[in-house]
mmCIF file of all heavy atoms in Angstrom:
data_model
loop_
_atom_site.group_PDB
_atom_site.id
_atom_site.type_symbol
_atom_site.label_atom_id
_atom_site.label_comp_id
_atom_site.label_asym_id
_atom_site.label_seq_id
_atom_site.Cartn_x
_atom_site.Cartn_y
_atom_site.Cartn_z
ATOM 1 N N ARG A 1 -103.742 -117.175 8.007
ATOM 2 C CA ARG A 1 -103.253 -118.526 7.727
ATOM 3 C C ARG A 1 -101.725 -118.516 7.746
ATOM 4 O O ARG A 1 -101.098 -117.504 7.418
ATOM 5 C CB ARG A 1 -103.722 -118.997 6.368
ATOM 6 C CG ARG A 1 -105.153 -119.380 6.351
ATOM 7 C CD ARG A 1 -105.485 -120.005 5.037
ATOM 8 N NE ARG A 1 -106.717 -120.751 5.141
ATOM 9 C CZ ARG A 1 -107.298 -121.316 4.119
ATOM 10 N NH1 ARG A 1 -106.767 -121.232 2.920
ATOM 11 N NH2 ARG A 1 -108.412 -121.968 4.286
ATOM 12 N N PRO A 2 -101.111 -119.629 8.118
ATOM 13 C CA PRO A 2 -99.637 -119.670 8.157
ATOM 14 C C PRO A 2 -98.985 -119.332 6.819
ATOM 15 O O PRO A 2 -97.955 -118.667 6.777
ATOM 16 C CB PRO A 2 -99.329 -121.107 8.575
ATOM 17 C CG PRO A 2 -100.536 -121.546 9.324
ATOM 18 C CD PRO A 2 -101.692 -120.847 8.671
ATOM 19 N N SER A 3 -99.576 -119.760 5.732
ATOM 20 C CA SER A 3 -98.988 -119.455 4.424
ATOM 21 C C SER A 3 -99.044 -117.953 4.137
ATOM 22 O O SER A 3 -98.109 -117.395 3.554
ATOM 23 C CB SER A 3 -99.697 -120.240 3.317
ATOM 24 O OG SER A 3 -101.069 -119.912 3.285
ATOM 25 N N HIS A 4 -100.106 -117.287 4.550
ATOM 26 C CA HIS A 4 -100.209 -115.837 4.346
ATOM 27 C C HIS A 4 -99.201 -115.091 5.224
ATOM 28 O O HIS A 4 -98.585 -114.114 4.775
ATOM 29 C CB HIS A 4 -101.620 -115.343 4.649
ATOM 30 C CG HIS A 4 -102.641 -115.824 3.681
ATOM 31 N ND1 HIS A 4 -103.980 -115.862 3.973
ATOM 32 C CD2 HIS A 4 -102.529 -116.310 2.415
ATOM 33 C CE1 HIS A 4 -104.641 -116.335 2.930
ATOM 34 N NE2 HIS A 4 -103.780 -116.617 1.982
ATOM 35 N N LEU A 5 -99.056 -115.542 6.473
ATOM 36 C CA LEU A 5 -98.088 -114.908 7.367
ATOM 37 C C LEU A 5 -96.665 -115.086 6.852
ATOM 38 O O LEU A 5 -95.845 -114.170 6.944
ATOM 39 C CB LEU A 5 -98.233 -115.461 8.781
ATOM 40 C CG LEU A 5 -99.548 -115.128 9.483
ATOM 41 C CD1 LEU A 5 -99.614 -115.812 10.827
ATOM 42 C CD2 LEU A 5 -99.706 -113.635 9.624
ATOM 43 N N LEU A 6 -96.370 -116.259 6.307
ATOM 44 C CA LEU A 6 -95.043 -116.510 5.739
ATOM 45 C C LEU A 6 -94.807 -115.609 4.530
ATOM 46 O O LEU A 6 -93.716 -115.035 4.384
ATOM 47 C CB LEU A 6 -94.903 -117.976 5.344
ATOM 48 C CG LEU A 6 -93.567 -118.411 4.773
ATOM 49 C CD1 LEU A 6 -92.456 -118.208 5.808
ATOM 50 C CD2 LEU A 6 -93.622 -119.849 4.331
ATOM 51 N N LEU A 7 -95.802 -115.438 3.705
ATOM 52 C CA LEU A 7 -95.685 -114.563 2.542
ATOM 53 C C LEU A 7 -95.465 -113.115 2.970
ATOM 54 O O LEU A 7 -94.636 -112.404 2.392
ATOM 55 C CB LEU A 7 -96.941 -114.676 1.672
ATOM 56 C CG LEU A 7 -96.921 -113.893 0.364
ATOM 57 C CD1 LEU A 7 -95.824 -114.416 -0.553
ATOM 58 C CD2 LEU A 7 -98.265 -114.001 -0.308
ATOM 59 N N LEU A 8 -96.167 -112.674 4.013
ATOM 60 C CA LEU A 8 -95.972 -111.318 4.534
ATOM 61 C C LEU A 8 -94.569 -111.136 5.116
ATOM 62 O O LEU A 8 -93.942 -110.094 4.939
ATOM 63 C CB LEU A 8 -97.017 -110.997 5.597
ATOM 64 C CG LEU A 8 -98.417 -110.703 5.088
ATOM 65 C CD1 LEU A 8 -99.382 -110.562 6.252
ATOM 66 C CD2 LEU A 8 -98.411 -109.448 4.249
ATOM 67 N N ALA A 9 -94.069 -112.151 5.799
ATOM 68 C CA ALA A 9 -92.718 -112.069 6.373
ATOM 69 C C ALA A 9 -91.666 -111.987 5.267
ATOM 70 O O ALA A 9 -90.710 -111.205 5.365
ATOM 71 C CB ALA A 9 -92.458 -113.278 7.264
ATOM 72 N N ILE A 10 -91.824 -112.761 4.219
ATOM 73 C CA ILE A 10 -90.875 -112.723 3.099
ATOM 74 C C ILE A 10 -90.947 -111.368 2.397
ATOM 75 O O ILE A 10 -89.912 -110.785 2.042
ATOM 76 C CB ILE A 10 -91.156 -113.879 2.113
ATOM 77 C CG1 ILE A 10 -90.784 -115.209 2.778
ATOM 78 C CG2 ILE A 10 -90.395 -113.702 0.814
ATOM 79 C CD1 ILE A 10 -91.185 -116.434 1.988
ATOM 80 N N ALA A 11 -92.154 -110.835 2.210
ATOM 81 C CA ALA A 11 -92.301 -109.526 1.572
ATOM 82 C C ALA A 11 -91.649 -108.442 2.420
ATOM 83 O O ALA A 11 -90.974 -107.546 1.893
ATOM 84 C CB ALA A 11 -93.778 -109.218 1.349
ATOM 85 N N ALA A 12 -91.819 -108.498 3.737
ATOM 86 C CA ALA A 12 -91.196 -107.504 4.619
ATOM 87 C C ALA A 12 -89.685 -107.613 4.563
ATOM 88 O O ALA A 12 -88.977 -106.603 4.560
ATOM 89 C CB ALA A 12 -91.697 -107.692 6.043
ATOM 90 N N LEU A 13 -89.168 -108.832 4.519
ATOM 91 C CA LEU A 13 -87.721 -109.039 4.437
ATOM 92 C C LEU A 13 -87.164 -108.468 3.142
ATOM 93 O O LEU A 13 -86.121 -107.799 3.142
ATOM 94 C CB LEU A 13 -87.400 -110.532 4.546
ATOM 95 C CG LEU A 13 -85.934 -110.917 4.572
ATOM 96 C CD1 LEU A 13 -85.261 -110.334 5.806
ATOM 97 C CD2 LEU A 13 -85.793 -112.426 4.570
ATOM 98 N N LEU A 14 -87.853 -108.685 2.051
ATOM 99 C CA LEU A 14 -87.393 -108.152 0.774
ATOM 100 C C LEU A 14 -87.538 -106.635 0.695
ATOM 101 O O LEU A 14 -86.705 -105.952 0.112
ATOM 102 C CB LEU A 14 -88.169 -108.803 -0.376
ATOM 103 C CG LEU A 14 -87.869 -110.270 -0.632
ATOM 104 C CD1 LEU A 14 -88.816 -110.820 -1.697
ATOM 105 C CD2 LEU A 14 -86.431 -110.462 -1.060
ATOM 106 N N LEU A 15 -88.589 -106.120 1.284
ATOM 107 C CA LEU A 15 -88.871 -104.695 1.208
ATOM 108 C C LEU A 15 -87.915 -103.875 2.083
ATOM 109 O O LEU A 15 -87.376 -102.864 1.641
ATOM 110 C CB LEU A 15 -90.317 -104.428 1.630
ATOM 111 C CG LEU A 15 -90.877 -103.058 1.310
ATOM 112 C CD1 LEU A 15 -91.003 -102.896 -0.203
ATOM 113 C CD2 LEU A 15 -92.234 -102.897 1.957
ATOM 114 N N PHE A 16 -87.700 -104.308 3.321
ATOM 115 C CA PHE A 16 -86.914 -103.522 4.261
ATOM 116 C C PHE A 16 -85.484 -104.022 4.444
ATOM 117 O O PHE A 16 -84.629 -103.288 4.903
ATOM 118 C CB PHE A 16 -87.604 -103.489 5.626
ATOM 119 C CG PHE A 16 -88.944 -102.822 5.589
ATOM 120 C CD1 PHE A 16 -90.094 -103.560 5.776
ATOM 121 C CD2 PHE A 16 -89.059 -101.466 5.356
ATOM 122 C CE1 PHE A 16 -91.335 -102.960 5.746
ATOM 123 C CE2 PHE A 16 -90.294 -100.854 5.324
ATOM 124 C CZ PHE A 16 -91.430 -101.603 5.514
ATOM 125 N N GLY A 17 -85.229 -105.263 4.143
ATOM 126 C CA GLY A 17 -83.892 -105.812 4.318
ATOM 127 C C GLY A 17 -83.685 -106.342 5.729
ATOM 128 O O GLY A 17 -84.352 -105.931 6.670
ATOM 129 N N PRO A 18 -82.753 -107.258 5.890
ATOM 130 C CA PRO A 18 -82.557 -107.902 7.191
ATOM 131 C C PRO A 18 -81.996 -106.968 8.261
ATOM 132 O O PRO A 18 -82.201 -107.189 9.445
ATOM 133 C CB PRO A 18 -81.587 -109.039 6.904
ATOM 134 C CG PRO A 18 -80.944 -108.693 5.621
ATOM 135 C CD PRO A 18 -81.899 -107.831 4.865
ATOM 136 N N SER A 19 -81.316 -105.906 7.888
ATOM 137 C CA SER A 19 -80.736 -105.019 8.896
ATOM 138 C C SER A 19 -81.767 -104.059 9.483
ATOM 139 O O SER A 19 -81.611 -103.592 10.609
ATOM 140 C CB SER A 19 -79.576 -104.233 8.294
ATOM 141 O OG SER A 19 -80.031 -103.427 7.242
ATOM 142 N N LYS A 20 -82.833 -103.759 8.749
ATOM 143 C CA LYS A 20 -83.847 -102.803 9.214
ATOM 144 C C LYS A 20 -84.964 -103.472 10.024
ATOM 145 O O LYS A 20 -85.632 -102.810 10.803
ATOM 146 C CB LYS A 20 -84.497 -102.104 8.028
ATOM 147 C CG LYS A 20 -83.760 -100.905 7.545
ATOM 148 C CD LYS A 20 -83.968 -99.783 8.516
ATOM 149 C CE LYS A 20 -83.665 -98.475 7.847
ATOM 150 N NZ LYS A 20 -83.618 -97.380 8.754
ATOM 151 N N LEU A 21 -85.181 -104.770 9.838
ATOM 152 C CA LEU A 21 -86.307 -105.426 10.488
ATOM 153 C C LEU A 21 -86.244 -105.367 12.015
ATOM 154 O O LEU A 21 -87.264 -105.093 12.648
ATOM 155 C CB LEU A 21 -86.443 -106.869 10.007
ATOM 156 C CG LEU A 21 -87.055 -107.019 8.618
ATOM 157 C CD1 LEU A 21 -87.146 -108.488 8.241
ATOM 158 C CD2 LEU A 21 -88.410 -106.379 8.538
ATOM 159 N N PRO A 22 -85.105 -105.609 12.676
ATOM 160 C CA PRO A 22 -85.093 -105.495 14.143
ATOM 161 C C PRO A 22 -85.415 -104.085 14.623
ATOM 162 O O PRO A 22 -86.131 -103.903 15.613
ATOM 163 C CB PRO A 22 -83.666 -105.889 14.525
ATOM 164 C CG PRO A 22 -83.172 -106.695 13.402
ATOM 165 C CD PRO A 22 -83.851 -106.156 12.181
ATOM 166 N N GLU A 23 -84.923 -103.096 13.913
ATOM 167 C CA GLU A 23 -85.203 -101.704 14.277
ATOM 168 C C GLU A 23 -86.692 -101.388 14.114
ATOM 169 O O GLU A 23 -87.286 -100.726 14.971
ATOM 170 C CB GLU A 23 -84.376 -100.774 13.394
ATOM 171 C CG GLU A 23 -84.519 -99.319 13.720
ATOM 172 C CD GLU A 23 -83.671 -98.465 12.791
ATOM 173 O OE1 GLU A 23 -82.576 -98.907 12.402
ATOM 174 O OE2 GLU A 23 -84.127 -97.359 12.481
ATOM 175 N N LEU A 24 -87.304 -101.877 13.049
ATOM 176 C CA LEU A 24 -88.736 -101.669 12.843
ATOM 177 C C LEU A 24 -89.554 -102.388 13.909
ATOM 178 O O LEU A 24 -90.550 -101.861 14.394
ATOM 179 C CB LEU A 24 -89.139 -102.164 11.450
ATOM 180 C CG LEU A 24 -88.653 -101.323 10.284
ATOM 181 C CD1 LEU A 24 -88.943 -102.027 8.964
ATOM 182 C CD2 LEU A 24 -89.312 -99.967 10.308
ATOM 183 N N GLY A 25 -89.121 -103.581 14.276
ATOM 184 C CA GLY A 25 -89.821 -104.321 15.328
ATOM 185 C C GLY A 25 -89.750 -103.605 16.667
ATOM 186 O O GLY A 25 -90.745 -103.531 17.392
ATOM 187 N N ARG A 26 -88.571 -103.069 16.997
ATOM 188 C CA ARG A 26 -88.411 -102.316 18.244
ATOM 189 C C ARG A 26 -89.304 -101.079 18.249
ATOM 190 O O ARG A 26 -89.962 -100.767 19.236
ATOM 191 C CB ARG A 26 -86.953 -101.899 18.418
ATOM 192 C CG ARG A 26 -86.286 -102.583 19.566
ATOM 193 C CD ARG A 26 -84.849 -102.118 19.716
ATOM 194 N NE ARG A 26 -83.979 -103.079 19.039
ATOM 195 C CZ ARG A 26 -83.237 -102.837 17.974
ATOM 196 N NH1 ARG A 26 -83.181 -101.637 17.463
ATOM 197 N NH2 ARG A 26 -82.512 -103.776 17.427
ATOM 198 N N GLY A 27 -89.320 -100.375 17.127
ATOM 199 C CA GLY A 27 -90.149 -99.184 17.019
ATOM 200 C C GLY A 27 -91.631 -99.506 17.138
ATOM 201 O O GLY A 27 -92.388 -98.783 17.791
ATOM 202 N N PHE A 28 -92.043 -100.608 16.529
ATOM 203 C CA PHE A 28 -93.446 -101.015 16.612
ATOM 204 C C PHE A 28 -93.807 -101.402 18.038
ATOM 205 O O PHE A 28 -94.877 -101.058 18.538
ATOM 206 C CB PHE A 28 -93.714 -102.182 15.662
ATOM 207 C CG PHE A 28 -95.151 -102.612 15.655
ATOM 208 C CD1 PHE A 28 -96.104 -101.844 15.027
ATOM 209 C CD2 PHE A 28 -95.536 -103.789 16.279
ATOM 210 C CE1 PHE A 28 -97.429 -102.236 15.019
ATOM 211 C CE2 PHE A 28 -96.855 -104.183 16.282
ATOM 212 C CZ PHE A 28 -97.807 -103.409 15.644
ATOM 213 N N GLY A 29 -92.907 -102.100 18.722
ATOM 214 C CA GLY A 29 -93.148 -102.479 20.114
ATOM 215 C C GLY A 29 -93.258 -101.271 21.015
ATOM 216 O O GLY A 29 -94.125 -101.198 21.892
#
């Protein structure tokens, strides 16, 4: 659900920080 995805995105942002998220996305890709 969109609300669950938004909650997961906010949790990831808080957990890893905005500077690490692009690097994690690249690694996952």
Side-chain angles (χ1 to χ4, degrees):
R1 285 188 162 175
S3 60
H4 292 159
L5 294 176
L6 182 62
L7 184 63
L8 285 173
I10 291 172
L13 184 63
L14 290 174
L15 194 67
F16 297 111
S19 62
K20 274 286 200 190
L21 284 180
E23 183 180 325
L24 289 172
R26 247 181 264 115
F28 182 74

